[in-house]
Amino acid sequence: MKNLTKAFAVIALTTASFATFAATEVNAAPTGAQSIGVVSATGGNDLTSLENKLAAKAAQQGASSYRIISAGGDNHMYGTAEIYK
């Protein structure tokens, strides 16, 4: 039971810290923001899972926002996003 409590605590803290540093998706380059590069992701079978992967990669790179510039695929999605700080 003690291990289960610890596991829930770790999951809660991990989720909370990810939400704090998550990058925000934008439709156009934010005014005053600087482009810091491009990230790409593959996998998943729907656009939502691809968006989540791109958001996670943007956050890992320290981006405050990202803009998806390409996405495609049928059963195996792929895409790229420009990231901004």
Side-chain angles (χ1 to χ4, degrees):
M1 187 66 172
K2 190 174 184 178
N3 288 337
L4 185 60
T5 304
K6 286 181 184 179
F8 283 127
V10 168
I11 291 169
L13 289 173
T14 303
T15 303
S17 66
F18 177 74
T20 303
F21 298 110
T24 305
E25 183 178 5
V26 294
N27 293 323
T31 304
Q34 180 180 5
S35 174
I36 58 172
V38 176
V39 293
S40 62
T42 61
N45 58 359
D46 62 5
L47 190 56
T48 301
S49 63
L50 178 63
E51 288 174 358
N52 291 338
K53 287 182 179 189
L54 288 169
K57 285 194 171 188
Q60 285 176 339
Q61 296 295 320
S64 59
S65 58
Y66 67 98
R67 179 176 59 99
I68 297 175
I69 55 178
S70 70
D74 291 324
N75 293 328
H76 186 75
M77 301 298 292
Y78 57 88
T80 57
E82 186 170 12
I83 57 177
Y84 303 95
K85 195 167 206 172

